[in-house]
Amino acid sequence: MAPAGSSPMSIETAVIHTGVPKVLGSAVMPIFQSATYGYSGDGNEDLVAYTRPADSPNHHALARAIAAIEGTEGALVTASGMAAISSTLLALLRPGDHLLIQTATYGGTSELVHQELSSLGIEHTTVDPADPGSWEKALRTNTKVFYVESISNPLIGVADMEAVAAFSQQHGLTHVVDNTFATPVLLKPARLGFIVIHSATKFLNGHSDIIAGAVAGPANFIAKVREKIVVYGGVLDPHACFLLQRGLTTLALRVRQQISSALALANFLEEHPQVEKVNYPGLESSPFHGLAKRLFKGSGGGVLSFEVKGGPSAAQALLKALKLPLIAPSLGGVESLITMPSFTSHEALGVEGRKAAGISESLIRLSVGIEGTEDLIADFAQALGATANGNANNGALTSLKVS
Ligand SMILES: *Cc1c(COP(=O)(O)O)cnc(C)c1O
């Protein structure tokens, strides 16, 4: 921890030097692979008894590191991003309450709010997170929470975070943000009073080898989320804690490389005659560039999406012709990951639902990895060239389907 009164550590330093107790002189946090701990009875405040309350040395070390990089008093790691989201919302909302939630959130979040919370008598209204003028009319006397994603999927839109914070403060709401796509490298939303959630499966861990989540905020709020983890059971395993803590040490390095390649690819694709449209807030042509400048110093993050000319079959042919990106859902890994939301994350919406959300059937989402920028551009150049000449296998990409 930074000494009181000093300025907070950079992410680069905090991930290495925060939260790692010296255990027998080890350089890294060892794995405490134990479900329970013998009671010492010595009145020690840090006494651990059982692992389900996220109460092992691994959980505490990781929580301190995440609180340090998000600039919050407390944090908690969870078994998945969905465990973080569900526990946070259940800690904030009771039957009869109402929340504002942005349109087109992550699929699991939409299902949680539209189906699970509704069945518990918790109501919601969807709002456009970039259109503050439209929020007032969605407000009710029982509105308690305003939930947004700092960068949204798959159109890579940016929420007006300052306006969400001001509106929430004015109306006594708790504002919550899913900061998975932006990461604290782009934005630390706790500065604006947000409760911050992550799918740590993505950029925070960065190696596509675990499912994990995190919540960061004031210590008294984190205690309430922990109560939900205890009863609903979404605790992270200590071994996964170890992997996440290791992944975290390279967060800033990875994300900087991903951002720089994503911008280079976005520029390349925008200029390409076969590309219809590129969604990337780092581009000056993006309708979200103004917000990205205010919030992220102009950066657009590590994920972009685009449409190619020729419809869904041309998009599928391009995916097949690419040699580097893995065709898979998820994002934020060291390897580039590419997917068509109409087949994966947004399949459940149906054609009409996607149309209403502005998601084209031929939309391609690319999570840029840490491969060499020139190699990635060369791969897209060859794949676009191959599909333009009709050399590509145009067979349906059934392997894109995930259950
Ligand atoms: C993946 C993701 C989630 C869900 O996280 P899991 O770790 O898969 O449970 C939530 N929000 C966003 C923005 C995501 O990308």
Side-chain angles (χ1 to χ4, degrees), residues 80-82 85 106 178 180-181 199 201-202 211-212 331:
S80 65
M82 285 313 302
I85 296 166
Y106 175 73
D178 181 334
T180 300
F181 274 57
S199 167
T201 309
K202 316 293 168 50
I211 299 289
L331 56 111

